[in-house]
Amino acid sequence: MLRDSLRGFLEAHWPGAGAVTRARDPVAIVALWRGLTDQGLAALGADAETGGLRELTIAMEELGRGAAPAAQVGAALVNLALASGASGDDALAARLLDRVQSGRGIVAISFGELDPDANAADLARDADGALDGTLRFVDAALGATDLLVTTPDGFAWLDLADRGVTITPSRALGADGWSEITLRNVPSTSIALSESTLADLALVAALLLLARAHGAARRAFELVVDYAKERRQFGQPIGRFQAIQHKLANNLISLEGVRVTIEYAAESHDLDLADWRYSANAALAFGRVALRQVALETQHAFGAIGYAEEHEAPRHFRRAHLDTIVLGGVRVARERLAAHLLDRDDALLPEYDLGACGNALRDEVRAWLTEHWTDARKAAFDAQPFHDREFDASFARDLGRTGWLGLNWPAEFGGQARSPLEQLAFLEVMERADAPPRFGAAVQANALMMHGTPAQQQRYLPEILRGEAMHGMGYSEPDSGSDLASLRTSAVLDGDDWVINGQKIWTTTYWGRYMFLAARTDRDAKPAHAGISMFIVPMDTPGITVKPAGTMYDGHFANIFYDDVRIPRENIVGPLNGGWKVLTDALANERGLVGGGIVLKVAHGFDVLCREIRATPALRDDALTRDRIGQLAAEIEVGRRLMIHCAELATSGTTPPELGAISKVYSGELMERYGEAALELLGARAALSQGAPGAIANGRFEQQLRHSLMWVISIGTNEIQRSLIAQRGLGLPR
Ligand SMILES: Cc1cc2nc3c(=O)[nH]c(=O)nc-3n(C[C@H](O)[C@H](O)[C@H](O)COP(=O)(O)OP(=O)(O)OC[C@H]3O[C@@H](n4cnc5c(N)ncnc54)[C@H](O)[C@@H]3O)c2cc1C
């Protein structure tokens, strides 16, 4: 509601046309702020119940979107700092709060010498509180009445109408952006605040500016998406070119990453969660780079039209840059994350609250693993070559006894009907324990529950649930990879049997009890996918030849030849020629969690990487290493937030396919970046493989790098996913 009402207000009172000119007029700026005060913006932050940081970030996004130069940050910080009584001088606090909330006081703020940017202030304060010097890069000074400058022990509050004050607009990125304020013996009032409060306020200010940059970058992005649907070149809309589609898909991924991390940081601040500072720094470390990249690429897609100053895009380009380089920029945010992870023994990534049920399940699974995944059992498992470490039949059966293999299945099929957040809790604990990665047959079970006959459900689901039966996926063929609909393996009805002929390739779970096989049942179907049906093929049926081949990650997949393989008529799953729907429905349920599963692997590996770096002081203290760790930490946080977001959406319905695709694309490539960083930071020893003398963490890092490619290529390549994001998520033409 806040977002909608503010957007409506700004459209009426601060329309896009003329916004740049108006932003230079103090009278217009003051009128704008008075109007926003009537909308309640000047009081946001005073009381988390009626509007905390969450609402403030929304307000800032809308102000960024509308290019509206409002003194929101100053008002917010006054409310956040003083409404809680943190200053110790209630009368003074009440006076300032009243000025701000009534709209009489319009507050600009400067972090002065506390700003990590050494050029931001050059200030002296005498014993009576009079200030002399220069403040630079001050936001929202035009039209402001009051200035707050942080000093080592609080705020110095001064009147901008004082004759010792000079405000000069600073031209930045080719336009008026900030102001430079010179102070000549200007009296000020001290408002005492602790060092930690001031540090928190600076962090909040940075987050608010990031939110404003997000609003601006997203607005320009939305404009360019619309433009790409209309602008025609070479006889077609430019939005049909794959280069443009994938660029815009990348931008959407970044914008969603920024959105979910800002939201979470603000929410954790309002809930006073211990890790809110970590979350805020992660949002900053990711968003400060990502938004500038989005701004650049938005300009690319506009071509020359967006390069004209009369267009809206340039103002958003500037905003996305100015608001992301202040207060220490990305370097400071990354260093804070690195300090969190590298300067404390046993530091781990912050653990998420997965709700009461999720948290309880975490504990339950941990306790179960302590008993069933003992050090001795794990050591024996780890000593095996990797290709034997994907699946442990006895462990799968043990898990089968817990019922957790049907964690998310409906009760009617013997499942526990648990939520996606509980599923994540389960997967996270399994990952952290380095338990065997393969169990169950989630996609095939989905297909059976959604499209199987009662007889099929009774026959196949219980053995999946008990951890006894694995099902492979027989989709890809030598000439049908991404273009799966072109597959040629045929199934022909002969009496009471289907007779299957053809070749499948790259089948991973070729050793499973059954194959979930896609075959053509109508050669003439148009479109081609309308002639495909799905089958359950027992792998001990005569006529099946399996030729395994080693994979780059030390696993195996197989070429499988089906020669006159006869299976009973009732083994078709779903309607004849209706296989495409069976296949996509079965995946749809899982898609939202695929990315999450990858992120959990990266998050756990990253904890191990940080442990390795902490153990080598020269590395731990190296500035470039710390910067890279801070960057990765932020990127992992984005992956984790996208994962939770998908899970929350799945809880309240289904995850839109483009969101699952965003999470999948992001996390596969995150895993690649993590693997590359680990090798680069730890050096040659990290490239030594399992069992090689001197290998770090038993070759985990290099193995994960090799494994990461699989996540980018399989389950729909990332290029195919990007096209899906562009077409389904952004509505660009096919
Ligand atoms: C480790 C691993 C395990 C696998 N396990 C299984 C399994 O168990 N069962 C199974 O059936 N399959 C499995 N696969 C196969 C997987 O599904 C395919 O690799 C995938 O669908 C891509 O097909 P392809 O390899 O033929 O690549 P291609 O489709 O030939 O693609 C090659 C390149 O061209 C790009 N490309 C193709 N079409 C387009 C397009 N329209 N627009 C833009 N770019 C495009 C792709 O993105 C890719 O970069 C596995 C693959 C791997 C790597």
Side-chain angles (χ1 to χ4, degrees):
M1 282 165 63
L2 173 68
R3 192 186 290 288
D4 288 348
S5 80
L6 196 48
R7 192 170 296 185
F9 175 87
L10 289 172
E11 276 165 10
H13 299 278
W14 197 264
V20 173
T21 319
R22 259 179 281 121
R24 288 196 286 265
D25 173 7
V27 176
I29 295 173
V30 171
L32 169 70
W33 184 245
R34 299 258 189 271
L36 291 170
T37 301
D38 293 341
Q39 300 286 309
L41 259 64
L44 285 181
D47 172 8
E49 288 292 308
T50 49
L53 194 50
R54 178 83 185 82
E55 286 71 16
L56 277 163
T57 53
I58 290 170
M60 288 300 282
E61 280 168 9
E62 290 307 311
L63 293 171
R65 188 184 170 87
Q72 183 67 65
V73 177
L77 296 196
V78 167
N79 289 328
L80 288 166
L82 302 184
S84 61
S87 77
D89 183 339
D90 291 346
L92 184 61
R95 191 148 60 86
L96 182 50
L97 281 167
D98 177 53
R99 260 186 81 68
V100 166
Q101 293 177 6
S102 65
R104 280 181 287 116
I106 304 180
V107 179
I109 195 148
S110 163
F111 280 87
E113 282 157 15
L114 292 191
D115 191 322
D117 188 334
N119 296 310
D122 181 4
L123 201 65
R125 190 162 186 251
D126 70 18
D128 299 328
L131 294 166
D132 262 289
T134 307
L135 301 169
R136 299 184 192 89
F137 327 130
V138 183
D139 180 52
L142 219 57
T145 57
D146 300 45
L147 178 68
L148 291 176
V149 186
T150 53
T151 65
D153 32 52
F155 279 140
W157 174 19
L158 56 92
D159 181 358
L160 280 173
D162 188 278
R163 65 152 78 123
V165 176
T166 313
I167 302 177
T168 317
S170 325
R171 208 168 141 76
L173 282 173
D176 289 349
W178 297 305
S179 296
E180 181 172 299
I181 302 183
T182 51
L183 306 173
R184 295 284 167 258
N185 199 25
V186 180
S188 73
T189 307
S190 293
I191 301 173
L193 290 169
S194 69
E195 203 181 319
S196 62
T197 303
L198 288 172
D200 284 351
L201 290 175
L203 188 54
V204 165
L207 194 69
L208 290 176
L209 295 177
L210 182 74
R212 188 167 65 179
H214 174 219
R218 199 176 271 265
R219 164 72 180 165
F221 172 74
E222 286 170 10
L223 288 173
V224 87
V225 169
D226 287 345
Y227 183 68
K229 292 174 190 167
E230 286 158 17
R231 169 75 172 167
R232 295 178 74 85
Q233 288 295 291
F234 300 97
Q236 58 177 329
I238 57 166
R240 187 173 283 146
F241 297 122
Q242 202 168 65
I244 297 290
Q245 290 201 351
H246 288 196
K247 201 185 258 292
L248 297 181
N250 285 343
N251 291 166
L252 183 65
I253 295 171
S254 294
L255 288 169
E256 284 302 283
V258 172
R259 186 175 67 75
V260 291
T261 45
I262 291 180
E263 261 176 30
Y264 185 64
E267 197 180 296
S268 352
H269 170 275
D270 291 345
L271 293 171
D272 207 16
L273 300 185
D275 290 315
W276 80 263
R277 293 172 193 86
Y278 183 91
S279 307
N281 280 307
L284 290 166
F286 178 80
R288 281 174 164 172
V289 181
L291 291 178
R292 297 206 296 268
Q293 189 63 28
V294 169
L296 285 167
E297 297 196 357
T298 298
Q299 296 293 141
H300 300 170
F302 266 128
I305 197 166
Y307 204 63
E309 281 290 358
E310 66 187 357
H311 196 278
E312 226 187 285
R315 75 188 70 153
H316 299 306
F317 179 88
R318 292 192 174 96
R319 177 54 64 216
H321 280 73
L322 296 183
D323 282 352
T324 53
I325 56 169
V326 286
L327 290 168
V330 70
R331 194 178 50 79
V332 166
R334 285 183 188 161
E335 168 50 33
R336 289 184 186 141
L337 296 175
H340 183 99
L341 295 162
L342 299 181
D343 296 347
R344 300 171 313 140
D345 291 342
D346 302 327
L348 294 171
L349 289 172
E351 190 164 80
Y352 281 145
D353 179 1
L354 292 175
C357 298
N359 297 338
L361 184 63
R362 245 186 199 143
D363 292 342
E364 215 181 313
V365 179
R366 264 188 209 128
W368 184 86
L369 282 170
T370 312
E371 206 179 313
H372 292 88
W373 189 237
T374 56
D375 289 349
R377 193 172 184 187
K378 182 171 172 339
F381 183 73
D382 286 351
Q384 301 176 70
F386 182 81
H387 52 81
D388 291 333
R389 277 201 280 143
E390 277 192 272
F391 181 67
D392 179 325
S394 79
F395 181 77
R397 283 200 167 83
D398 287 351
L399 256 185
R401 281 189 274 280
T402 62
W404 290 330
L405 294 183
L407 208 61
N408 62 331
W409 298 12
E412 59 177 303
F413 299 117
Q416 300 189 349
R418 305 246 204 172
S419 71
L421 283 177
E422 288 170 285
Q423 259 177 293
L424 285 182
F426 174 73
L427 292 175
E428 183 198 81
V429 180
M430 297 295 282
E431 201 57 59
R432 283 196 160 169
D434 287 319
R438 299 286 309 276
F439 38 76
V443 171
Q444 297 87 341
N446 278 341
L448 286 164
M449 288 187 278
M450 295 168 91
H451 297 284
T453 62
Q456 286 171 339
Q457 290 165 348
Q458 278 157 26
R459 169 150 184 211
Y460 298 111
L461 290 174
E463 53 185 22
I464 294 178
L465 192 60
R466 289 196 300 269
E468 289 169 9
M470 291 291 282
H471 292 232
M473 272 186 214
Y475 301 171
S476 306
E477 298 181 4
D479 291 329
S480 303
S482 299
D483 182 14
L484 186 59
S486 68
L487 64 85
R488 289 197 302 225
T489 293
S490 64
V492 177
L493 200 57
D494 179 25
D496 272 347
D497 289 339
W498 288 102
V499 181
I500 297 171
N501 278 290
Q503 180 190 353
K504 294 288 175 179
I505 195 169
W506 310 311
T507 311
T508 318
T509 316
Y510 58 87
W511 39 264
R513 189 177 287 179
Y514 306 102
M515 189 57 58
F516 189 51
L517 188 95
R520 179 155 302 285
T521 38
D522 180 354
R523 289 204 174 279
D524 305 320
K526 292 229 173 4
H529 71 250
I532 293 171
S533 306
M534 298 304 298
F535 299 90
I536 291 187
V537 182
M539 286 304 282
D540 56 2
T541 315
I544 300 179
T545 311
V546 178
K547 297 219 158 130
T551 65
M552 223 180 112
Y553 69 87
D554 283 347
H556 283 96
F557 46 29
N559 259 302
I560 306 187
F561 300 87
Y562 297 83
D563 294 305
D564 288 329
V565 174
R566 298 186 87 88
I567 56 167
R569 185 181 190 134
E570 64 266 21
N571 279 23
I572 186 167
V573 180
L576 177 65
N577 296 324
W580 197 255
K581 183 160 169 51
V582 177
L583 206 142
T584 47
D585 282 355
L587 258 184
N589 258 355
E590 289 308 304
R591 198 179 255 132
L593 290 183
V594 167
I598 306 170
V599 170
L600 291 172
K601 286 182 200 307
V602 178
H604 175 50
F606 183 67
D607 277 335
V608 181
L609 174 63
C610 289
R611 192 181 70 203
E612 293 295 334
I613 290 174
R614 283 198 299 269
T616 313
L619 204 51
R620 184 198 59 207
D621 299 336
D622 170 63
L624 288 179
T625 302
R626 295 176 75 84
D627 190 71
R628 193 77 183 269
I629 287 295
Q631 178 186 354
L632 263 179
E635 291 178 0
I636 290 171
E637 200 57 17
V638 169
R640 297 206 300 169
R641 287 320 309 169
L642 288 173
M643 162 186 94
I644 301 271
H645 185 51
C646 286
E648 283 170 350
L649 282 182
T651 307
S652 52
T654 48
T655 317
E658 66 272 16
L659 203 70
I662 285 175
S663 173
K664 191 260 172 187
V665 167
Y666 183 85
S667 12
E669 291 168 16
L670 172 68
M671 188 163 178
E672 288 183 345
R673 290 195 296 277
Y674 144 77
E676 292 290 344
L679 261 62
E680 214 168 276
L681 296 177
L682 297 173
R685 261 187 69 203
L688 294 176
S689 301
Q690 183 197 358
I696 301 179
N698 201 20
R700 165 192 287 274
F701 303 115
E702 69 81 21
Q703 202 281 331
Q704 282 194 306
L705 171 63
R706 288 184 285 142
H707 205 183
S708 65
L709 285 166
M710 181 189 98
W711 299 112
V712 174
I713 298 169
S714 64
I715 331 172
T717 68
N718 278 14
E719 286 77 23
I720 297 290
Q721 303 293 325
R722 282 190 165 88
S723 297
L724 185 150
I725 295 166
Q727 291 160 15
R728 299 278 294 265
L730 298 174
L732 294 173
R734 286 171 72 91

